[in-house]
Amino acid sequence: DGGITQSPKYLFRKEGQNVTLSCEQNLNHDAMYWYRQDPGQGLRLIYYSQIVNDFQKGDIAEGYSVSREKKESFPLTVTSAQKNPTAFYLCASSSQGQGTIPMTFGSGTRLTVV
Amino acid sequence: SQQGEEDPQALSIQEGENATMNCSYKTSINNLQWYRQNSGRGLVHLILIRSNEREKHSGRLRVTLDTSKKSSSLLITASRAADTASYFCATDANSNYQLIWGAGTKLIIKP
């Protein structure tokens, strides 16, 4: 079955530590996205990539980094510079720009700072 | 920035009743989408409606779009317990690659 796989489902980070969230898709989609969701709020875009080896900052990129070395993979690193990383992180993909065609979402990673 | 504003923030109805959620936005759009999110899960796409469309149906879902009022509504008919979820609207006002999301309507269907 085609879809998006995010791992791990739960992640705990200590203060000052970098952590990497995995996102893999087998839908052959060109575009991939990372969103952050806080309780009771909508989604905020962190980074997006329209094509391999290219990515752009979204609304809240500070403290995060990404890479897009393969079409299937779009990992997100939450760095120590992100002061409030506790949130639910969602990865998504689409075959074209997300405004023109529906996105497929992964099941999310819940990150908690301990 | 949050362009889409869903209304109400929360809605609780009896199973079998109809549920209506509204979404308002501020700037002109090409498309508006509705998504559903079950608790602690990813989002699932429901319907995409283009700015030149006024109404769209999918099973028990009906979406309307009024570009003059910059608003959309999502109607779920004959609700079921499985419809319990949060519902989000998203617009493409910024660009094709940056949707703007509302904070969602939390729908609870009571058995």
Side-chain angles (χ1 to χ4, degrees):
Chain A
D1 286 340
I4 295 183
T5 301
Q6 288 189 242
S7 62
K9 190 171 177 65
Y10 299 96
L11 187 57
F12 297 91
R13 192 194 93 165
K14 295 181 180 179
E15 295 282 352
Q17 188 179 46
N18 292 356
V19 291
T20 298
L21 284 60
S22 171
C23 178
E24 303 277 334
Q25 54 102 355
N26 61 4
L27 300 165
N28 201 33
H29 285 171
D30 286 316
M32 296 186 74
Y33 314 85
W34 273 106
Y35 284 98
R36 170 179 172 144
Q37 186 178 33
D38 292 283
Q41 298 187 29
L43 278 64
R44 292 185 290 169
L45 185 64
I46 304 173
Y47 270 97
Y48 66 99
S49 168
Q50 299 176 37
I51 199 167
V52 175
N53 292 323
D54 185 55
F55 49 83
Q56 283 78 41
K57 294 181 179 180
D59 295 327
I60 55 166
E62 185 174 351
Y64 300 97
S65 67
V66 293
S67 63
R68 187 83 187 278
E69 296 176 0
K70 298 186 300 181
K71 188 175 186 177
E72 303 78 21
S73 179
F74 192 40
L76 173 74
T77 296
V78 184
T79 74
S80 57
Q82 171 53 239
K83 297 307 178 189
N84 184 24
T86 294
F88 189 50
Y89 291 86
L90 288 159
C91 179
S93 71
S94 63
S95 57
Q96 301 172 28
Q98 61 183 312
T100 60
I101 198 164
M103 284 184 288
T104 301
F105 280 83
S107 57
T109 292
R110 189 166 298 280
L111 174 63
T112 304
V113 174
V114 295
Chain B
S1 58
Q2 298 283 342
Q3 156 147 282
E5 297 283 342
E6 285 94 343
D7 168 56
Q9 291 184 346
L11 179 61
S12 181
I13 61 173
Q14 292 292 140
E15 192 167 19
E17 294 180 339
N18 295 343
T20 299
M21 288 157 274
N22 302 297
C23 170
S24 60
Y25 56 91
K26 298 174 184 174
T27 61
S28 61
I29 62 171
N30 297 310
N31 305 294
L32 183 146
Q33 301 182 49
W34 285 92
Y35 285 80
R36 184 188 74 228
Q37 183 181 34
N38 290 87
S39 181
R41 305 288 294 174
L43 279 73
V44 174
H45 179 262
L46 297 176
I47 288 182
L48 181 151
I49 187 166
R50 305 190 190 284
S51 60
N52 61 352
E53 297 175 313
R54 291 295 166 260
E55 189 169 310
K56 211 163 182 180
H57 296 254
S58 177
R60 294 183 296 112
L61 308 181
R62 183 180 78 129
V63 168
T64 60
L65 178 64
D66 187 335
T67 52
S68 66
K69 294 182 179 178
K70 293 186 172 56
S71 67
S72 173
S73 67
L74 170 66
L75 168 68
I76 304 174
T77 60
S79 63
R80 306 168 181 168
D83 295 328
T84 293
S86 292
Y87 292 81
F88 295 89
C89 69
T91 58
D92 66 343
N94 268 358
S95 77
N96 281 341
Y97 287 91
Q98 296 193 56
L99 291 183
I100 302 177
W101 296 80
T105 291
K106 187 170 184 177
L107 176 65
I108 297 173
I109 308 298
K110 296 179 287 186

